[in-house]
Amino acid sequence: MKKVLVIAYQIPPVSGAACQRHIRFLSNLDGCGWQPVVLTCRMSDYADYYHLDHSGTGSLDGSIAIHRARNFNPFEVFLKFRQMLKTVPSSDFHKSGESNSSPERRKILQSIKNFISDLFRLPDRQNGWFLFAVIKGFKLIRSEKIDVIYASGNPWTSFFIGISLSLLFRLPVVVDFRDPWVRNPYNEKKNKWIEWIQKKMEAFVVKKADAVIANTRNLKAAFIEDYGDIEHKFVHISNGYLKGLFQHLGKKEPGKRPIFTLAHVGTVYSHRSPGFLLNAILRLKKAGKISKDNFQLLFVGQVNRKETHQKEISNLGLSDMVHFIPPVPHEKALNYIVQSDVLLILQQGTELQIPGKLFEYIAVGKPVLAIADKGATRDIILEENLGLVANSDSLDSIEATLFKLIEAHEKKQLDQWGGKKALKKYDAQTLTIKLANLFDQCLKENRP
């Protein structure tokens, strides 16, 4: 059997959309003629912001070899060294400290600090994983007789690990962009030189790789726009769902009251704000169209700025209708999806990405309410008849769209959406066959 070295940072017990994409491929590669050998991060070295779900380990076949390499954060080492310098007495550096300098000088010093900080985080905070992973990967390629290298990002460090090993052993390497890098709308604004370096890094990766996977058609089109001379390298392989995770889940349990349940299962962060939706719910409540007796909105998972959102909900008088549920194991999260009537997508401010949770929504056949701008998310929902899309900047649009779904629920007509025809297309097995064929193609083209 052919072997592929899978370089992926987010492997169980890490949870989240990235981990689920890895699980879907890893669970099906063996049946496609490819044995995966996984190279990931050492358990004790994951940063605190990675949520761990130990029940997720059951989603991977125990026969899959997982090898973990050490990781450290160079920026933290730099900060500790800087703190040591501060303890040196009578330092000339500290005698002319920032506190006594002019505002203009402080601004310059802050810019220098930010530049140095960003340098230590190129290509990302996981760059301390690079050397240890290359050493571990070197040993694995020799001992396991690897045929192809597959690297998943972000973190983008995994791409440089994969390309370095590819150059050392003259093996084909496939890089998988689960998100945009340079074009990512969630990127913080950085020094222009740092942004220039990032662009050069991305260009280096896509030109050295034998194939470049984009997880949306829109991202593939963006790559072709930026790197038209290597258009043949870019391939679209969507996210999907793992059928086995849903086969044992039941249907919605009948409640004592016919409560319409709208649920967002996953992380709410950055541009993903429920503000307009909350005001649309308030309008419907004031109009007497909904109440706590027949409507509820659930946010299941991590919510950034949760206190701010809770305060807004309280001020609007919606505390009895809108509820936050802390992060739960993945299997329990899937049960929340099944027990809901309509599933919520918040996708404002990005045209190139589709939330991974959408494909789990597809698996259960529930209609979707998406609050989204034009782009990949809106396109797939409308093309596959997954549900309805409301304009993210229009309170009227959100109110009307939500009420249309509520009316359909009352008339028992929600089954007109759900994208049942899309089930096979986004089944992980179908998508993994496409990935395995890409490995075969790269292997054939790379060999004399």
Side-chain angles (χ1 to χ4, degrees), residues 181-241:
W181 182 357
V182 170
R183 286 182 176 243
N184 197 319
Y186 300 133
N187 284 345
E188 296 178 6
K189 192 71 176 174
K190 297 186 184 296
N191 177 285
K192 64 179 182 179
W193 291 107
I194 296 295
E195 292 182 351
W196 179 82
I197 294 171
Q198 287 180 323
K199 288 178 182 178
K200 291 296 181 182
M201 283 183 161
E202 181 184 90
F204 173 80
V205 166
V206 299
K207 288 175 181 177
K208 287 294 182 184
D210 293 84
V212 179
I213 299 171
N215 69 345
T216 69
R217 290 196 303 269
N218 302 59
L219 180 56
K220 177 186 174 182
F223 275 132
I224 292 172
E225 182 180 331
D226 292 339
Y227 309 103
D229 57 323
I230 52 172
E231 178 177 349
H232 65 282
K233 287 189 178 185
F234 299 107
V235 179
H236 167 227
I237 301 181
S238 170
N239 278 318
Y241 67 90

Side-chain angles (χ1 to χ4, degrees), residues 13-71:
V14 172
S15 65
C19 183
Q20 291 305 313
R21 182 170 174 88
H22 299 148
I23 289 173
R24 291 165 197 142
F25 287 149
L26 290 170
S27 299
N28 287 282
L29 273 171
D30 193 70
C32 299
W34 283 88
Q35 180 181 341
V37 178
V38 179
L39 174 57
T40 187
C41 176
R42 190 169 68 174
M43 278 289 301
S44 58
D45 294 338
Y46 281 118
D48 293 340
Y49 50 80
Y50 282 99
H51 180 68
L52 302 183
D53 173 11
H54 290 280
S55 68
T57 53
S59 300
L60 273 180
D61 188 334
S63 65
I64 295 175
I66 298 178
H67 304 268
R68 298 183 180 271
R70 184 187 171 193
N71 177 35

Side-chain angles (χ1 to χ4, degrees), residues 97-113:
E98 297 174 31
S99 57
N100 298 323
S101 42
S102 65
E104 184 177 349
R105 178 177 170 78
R106 286 199 297 272
K107 185 177 180 180
I108 293 172
L109 287 172
Q110 186 60 49
S111 297
I112 293 172
K113 282 183 178 180

